[in-house]
Amino acid sequence: MLHPVICIDGPAASGKSTVARLVAHDLHYVYVDTGAMYRAFTFLTLEAGHDPSSRSRMKQLLEKVDFHAEIAGQEIALRQGKRDLGPHTRLPEVNAAVSPVSALPELREYLVNLQRKLRLSAPLVMEGRDIGTVVCSDSPFKYFIDACPTVRAERRKKQGEKDNLAARDKLDSSRSAAPLLRAADAQLLDSGKNDARSLADQIVRDVRTRSTPAPTVP
């Protein structure tokens, strides 16, 4: 049985993670941060001393890695064997290398299959860059969260990150495998003009309205 999935896409520092967590909490769905999965593999790539842009090295890593994404409460835990990879996904060196690693087709195919399998376990709020266009394109609940570059850059600064958002956007949008795009049927939400709470409320109302069966006419 495939459970429902709420797809929340958007570029870096758009606020999609905060909104997705709120939606998952309100609806009692499991929150899935797909970006953390790519960050976990970026960490494993760097730890092994591999070139982040090497497809051959990624193939080797995927052939031997013991990687698990397990549902733990209302979120997922990422593990290599018994090791929790969560604490390693926000390291500065990981943030600097995640875009080229995420662009590798072999990794994207591997993780997309894993992400789709999570639908067998529970209702999900899944956020990333290709959820509505690739991972769960059949979902009727698609939202694309964005904000102007100035707002996003300020958020990034407050997060303590020093990456170049314009360069990262270009990499994410121009990669050959599942580029960052807004799905044609995704609702566009502006996180620069609305706070996370109001956007989450809007999504929750929309999901509940469209999930409620229409009354039968006697």
Side-chain angles (χ1 to χ4, degrees), residues 3-76:
H3 291 277
V5 179
I6 298 170
C7 307
I8 299 181
D9 289 306
S14 62
K16 63 183 181 296
S17 298
T18 303
V19 174
R21 285 181 182 276
L22 289 171
V23 173
H25 176 271
D26 292 352
L27 293 175
H28 303 289
Y29 281 24
V30 173
Y31 166 67
V32 180
D33 178 3
T34 62
M37 296 181 180
Y38 289 98
R39 287 174 175 271
F41 270 91
T42 301
F43 168 73
L44 293 174
T45 297
L46 297 175
E47 183 182 53
H50 296 336
D51 176 355
S53 63
S54 172
R55 296 179 64 178
S56 62
R57 290 294 191 180
M58 180 54 67
K59 289 180 182 178
Q60 293 174 14
L61 178 61
L62 291 174
E63 286 172 359
K64 65 181 181 180
V65 71
D66 181 17
F67 181 79
H68 304 281
E70 305 169 352
I71 292 178
Q74 250 186 286
E75 297 192 13
I76 59 169

Side-chain angles (χ1 to χ4, degrees), residues 14 144-148 155 188-195 199:
S14 62
F144 192 93
I145 298 179
D146 204 352
C148 73
R155 285 179 185 154
L188 178 61
L189 303 176
D190 189 337
S191 65
K193 297 179 180 179
N194 303 275
D195 62 24
L199 291 181

Side-chain angles (χ1 to χ4, degrees), residues 29-186:
Y29 281 24
V30 173
Y31 166 67
V32 180
D33 178 3
T34 62
M37 296 181 180
Y38 289 98
R39 287 174 175 271
F41 270 91
T42 301
F43 168 73
L44 293 174
T45 297
L46 297 175
E47 183 182 53
H50 296 336
D51 176 355
S53 63
S54 172
R55 296 179 64 178
S56 62
R57 290 294 191 180
M58 180 54 67
K59 289 180 182 178
Q60 293 174 14
L61 178 61
L62 291 174
E63 286 172 359
K64 65 181 181 180
V65 71
D66 181 17
F67 181 79
H68 304 281
E70 305 169 352
I71 292 178
Q74 250 186 286
E75 297 192 13
I76 59 169
L78 304 178
R79 305 188 188 282
Q80 178 198 27
K82 295 183 179 180
R83 179 168 65 153
D84 181 9
L85 296 175
H88 306 289
T89 59
R90 288 291 174 180
L91 296 173
E93 58 268 32
V94 168
N95 189 58
V98 66
S99 283
V101 172
S102 299
L104 298 175
E106 290 77 13
L107 178 60
R108 299 205 72 85
E109 180 180 2
Y110 175 89
L111 287 181
V112 165
N113 288 332
L114 186 153
Q115 291 155 11
R116 287 172 174 164
K117 288 178 182 177
L118 291 172
R119 297 181 67 180
L120 298 171
S121 301
L124 309 173
V125 176
M126 192 176 290
E127 61 109 332
R129 286 167 174 74
D130 63 346
I131 312 306
T133 55
V134 176
V135 182
C136 299
S137 58
D138 60 320
S139 172
F141 305 115
K142 300 176 187 176
Y143 309 90
F144 192 93
I145 298 179
D146 204 352
C148 73
T150 302
V151 170
R152 291 172 53 221
E154 185 60 30
R155 285 179 185 154
R156 208 61 168 170
K157 183 178 179 180
K158 289 180 179 178
Q159 292 170 354
E161 304 286 3
K162 299 180 180 180
D163 52 337
N164 186 317
L165 281 181
R168 183 163 180 182
D169 287 349
K170 184 176 181 180
L171 280 171
D172 290 343
S173 300
S174 61
R175 66 187 179 217
S176 59
L180 170 65
L181 293 170
R182 175 188 167 193
D185 55 343

